[in-house]
Amino acid sequence: MTAAYLRELVAAWQTWDWRGREAWLNQHPQFTADVGDTKLHFVHARSARADAPALLVMHGWPHTFALQLDFVDLLPDFHVVVASLPGFAFSTPYADGPMTESRLAETMHSLMTETLGYDRYLTYGEDVSANVNDLIAATHSDAVAGILVTHAHFPSSEERERLTAPDEVAFFERLWSHHLSDGGYGHLQATRPDTLAAALNDSPAGLLAWIAEKLVEWSDTAADGPASVERRISRDRILTEAMLYWVSESIGTSFRPYYEGADQPEPMPPVEVPASIHIQRHEADYPESLARAYYRDIRTFERLSEGGHFAVAEVPDAMADRVRAFAGELGLL
């Protein structure tokens, strides 16, 4: 991210056709439902085929449900549910208690089964919902037909200390070295979330900078300069993300996973259901052995040639093809 590119984005936002973008968003059927003590907002794009497979899609941070809609539009042969996590965009935060990964997993499973009535579904999550994705598949194998993965499982801190394979050790050493230089955002969100939120809710330019920086840095085009992110995530889409945070004033509550529930103190149960794993470019050196140790029924393991941290948003066509292939292999299509 550079000052020059931020100036471009701020200038574009000032004359941007938000009403046109609003109309595009509203082409996607959106609902809210009370699930526990949160009112969840979600897109429910039903297929014309009544017996189509159901797919739960969960976003991470700093993006919202909107960044995944291009992917949804490519899956008319699925019933696709894109849920806003509690405290993001138009979903209310939990009224009481922390926002832990286990709690998110139960909330999303309840949305799919109790609220929407799906007996079986596929699941996908990324970033802060990656562990949620794994937990849903691990703890509700009776309802999860398969799991789609672009952010493959990380062992707990205790488990990492016992790793000895050179590629596994090197992978986490690389992540840690990057965290030391690039992880300031996470430290602030985990330790001073309300102070940061007050500043960002007071400055649209500051909010845009905070969000766009991560879209730039975590896409697979980062090495080509900040504006190159628009090869993967268009300017319209970047401004949509900023606008949704601005109008909903939800940037502060979007920090809750960092402040309340991002730690993974205990090992997670393994995933026994079929898994389709597509390692995104932001973690291109993720060791296959880690995936094999955790996902017990891997149908596909590959490393994407394109697509970074926001894989289904960056390469929606490629990921839609993979979802369709996975569902076909499972006999769902």
Side-chain angles (χ1 to χ4, degrees):
M1 189 68 170
T2 63
Y5 184 55
L6 178 59
R7 281 194 294 270
E8 279 187 42
L9 291 178
V10 170
W13 197 2
Q14 291 175 316
T15 59
W16 183 53
D17 180 15
W18 167 238
R19 294 306 177 195
R21 198 61 177 164
E22 242 182 359
W24 178 81
L25 287 170
N26 287 334
Q27 292 172 12
H28 301 86
Q30 298 173 57
F31 307 88
T32 60
D34 293 323
V35 181
D37 65 352
T38 177
K39 184 178 288 294
L40 279 184
H41 163 266
F42 58 96
V43 169
H44 192 188
R46 294 179 177 88
S47 173
R49 226 187 86 196
D51 63 345
L55 170 65
L56 169 66
V57 177
M58 296 173 289
H59 62 84
W61 188 91
H63 51 310
T64 71
F65 75 99
L67 200 65
Q68 297 171 316
L69 294 182
D70 291 61
F71 172 64
V72 174
D73 290 342
L74 296 169
L75 294 169
D77 43 350
F78 288 76
H79 301 303
V80 188
V81 177
V82 187
S84 296
L85 299 179
F88 285 73
F90 305 120
S91 285
T92 65
Y94 289 120
D96 184 52
M99 185 176 177
T100 63
E101 291 167 343
S102 296
R103 189 177 189 185
L104 285 169
E106 292 308 308
T107 297
M108 294 299 154
H109 177 67
S110 293
L111 171 67
M112 293 300 290
T113 56
E114 296 174 19
T115 303
L116 299 178
Y118 292 113
D119 295 326
R120 299 274 285 168
Y121 61 94
L122 299 166
T123 183
Y124 171 77
E126 58 190 24
D127 189 75
V128 298
S129 66
N131 276 354
V132 178
N133 195 41
D134 288 341
L135 281 167
I136 292 172
T139 57
H140 295 288
S141 57
D142 57 327
V144 175
I147 179 173
L148 185 76
V149 175
T150 58
H151 293 231
H153 178 74
F154 282 11
S156 67
S157 299
E158 181 180 322
E159 290 171 320
R160 289 182 212 178
E161 291 176 1
R162 298 196 295 268
L163 297 177
T164 57
D167 59 338
E168 295 175 355
V169 172
F171 174 70
F172 287 109
E173 286 179 347
R174 180 188 69 78
L175 289 186
W176 178 244
S177 68
H178 285 192
H179 180 75
L180 290 174
S181 59
D182 303 335
Y185 78 98
H187 184 70
L188 278 173
Q189 290 172 189
T191 59
R192 294 295 183 271
D194 291 346
T195 305
L196 177 59
L200 299 182
N201 279 326
D202 190 56
S203 169
L207 179 67
L208 178 59
W210 198 257
I211 293 167
E213 177 190 78
K214 294 309 169 203
L215 297 178
V216 167
E217 289 186 354
W218 293 348
S219 78
D220 77 338
T221 61
D224 300 328
S228 65
V229 68
E230 295 182 24
R231 298 206 308 264
R232 299 285 185 221
I233 302 172
S234 70
R235 186 166 296 189
D236 263 350
R237 298 168 80 196
I238 293 170
L239 295 178
T240 299
E241 296 303 301
M243 192 68 163
L244 287 173
Y245 276 106
W246 182 253
V247 300
S248 64
E249 296 187 322
S250 62
I251 193 66
T253 49
S254 82
F255 297 156
R256 286 183 67 170
Y258 291 81
Y259 185 70
E260 299 172 346
D263 289 339
Q264 186 192 325
E266 301 293 334
M268 291 171 58
V271 168
E272 306 283 355
V273 304
S276 186
I277 300 176
H278 312 275
I279 304 301
Q280 38 84 17
R281 298 292 304 156
H282 197 62
E283 293 167 2
D285 53 338
Y286 177 88
E288 184 174 349
S289 56
L290 291 177
R292 298 278 172 196
Y294 182 72
Y295 304 97
R296 304 299 171 82
D297 186 6
I298 295 177
R299 303 301 178 89
T300 299
F301 182 94
E302 68 165 342
R303 302 182 192 277
L304 295 175
S305 60
E306 296 180 306
H309 192 79
F310 312 97
V312 300
E314 293 182 53
V315 286
D317 293 88
M319 290 309 302
D321 288 345
R322 283 158 173 79
V323 172
R324 195 168 284 111
F326 185 40
E329 181 183 350
L330 299 178
L332 301 176
L333 283 178

